[in-house]
Amino acid sequence: DCKMGALATRAYIAQSGDTEFEKRLYQYFLVQSNTHQPEDLLHRFELFLEEYREDFTTHVSEERFATLKSSAIEALKNQCRNINDKAALWDLLAFEEKGDFTLIDRRIEALENLSYEQFLTFGEEFLSRSNRKRLAILYTGKIPTPFTYLPTTVTGLSELATYAPRSTEQEMNTR
């Protein structure tokens, strides 16, 4: 939108997206700048999000909502462009989703049943400062020029960081 474009011309790079991880959908919003401190960027984007939320129905009219909804449904229906994509989807459904081959159909049905009023309520709650599930990670530093990736090994990687998945609901219920 216009405001975001105006913010982006002030020496920021902004990006947003989503990812599903451990059966949870995460939305992320990334901002990078060579001229602004992380706290300054955080305050500017908090203000942007709050103003966007306050005028949410102007930014996402009922007509635009219908277009976005239709587009999301079509994307789910046509997500497999070739045999490789279809095989990857079946692999995901068979192994990651424990054989739930109805997942895509259920997501399509959920989108079809989503009303504009439900969307507005969710959108306003999601963008609000009172959303206790928001997390800001501020990073300061210089990237070496030219930027290069350094080779590593599995052992070297485990020395840099570790990851342990959360317990599954079933494991938690048996404790």
Side-chain angles (χ1 to χ4, degrees), residues 5-6 10-11 18 25 30 34 36 42 75 86 88-89 94-95 99-100 105-106 133 135 152 155 164 168:
R10 294 184 182 152
D18 59 74
L25 179 61
L30 310 170
N34 291 334
H36 293 75
L42 178 61
K86 190 67 158 180
L89 174 62
F95 299 105
D100 183 3
D105 291 334
R106 287 186 298 111
K133 296 178 182 179
L135 171 68
T152 189
T155 306
T168 64

Side-chain angles (χ1 to χ4, degrees), residues 31-83:
V31 184
Q32 176 184 348
S33 174
N34 291 334
T35 59
H36 293 75
Q37 291 299 312
E39 293 84 3
D40 181 37
L41 293 172
L42 178 61
H43 294 293
R44 289 170 185 246
F45 282 89
E46 284 287 349
L47 178 62
F48 165 76
L49 290 173
E50 193 62 28
E51 289 174 352
Y52 190 88
R53 185 195 64 79
E54 287 173 1
D55 207 16
F56 196 49
T57 55
T58 302
H59 295 294
V60 186
S61 66
E62 196 160 356
E63 182 180 312
R64 182 167 183 216
F65 165 75
T67 301
L68 292 170
K69 180 176 162 177
S70 176
S71 178
I73 291 168
E74 287 306 310
L76 281 171
K77 287 179 178 178
N78 299 308
Q79 63 183 308
C80 298
R81 297 182 188 153
N82 55 47
I83 192 78

Side-chain angles (χ1 to χ4, degrees), residues 56 65 96 104 122 129 138 153 158 161:
F56 196 49
F65 165 75
E96 297 294 319
I104 303 303
F122 174 76
R129 285 184 186 209
L138 309 179
T153 63
S158 66

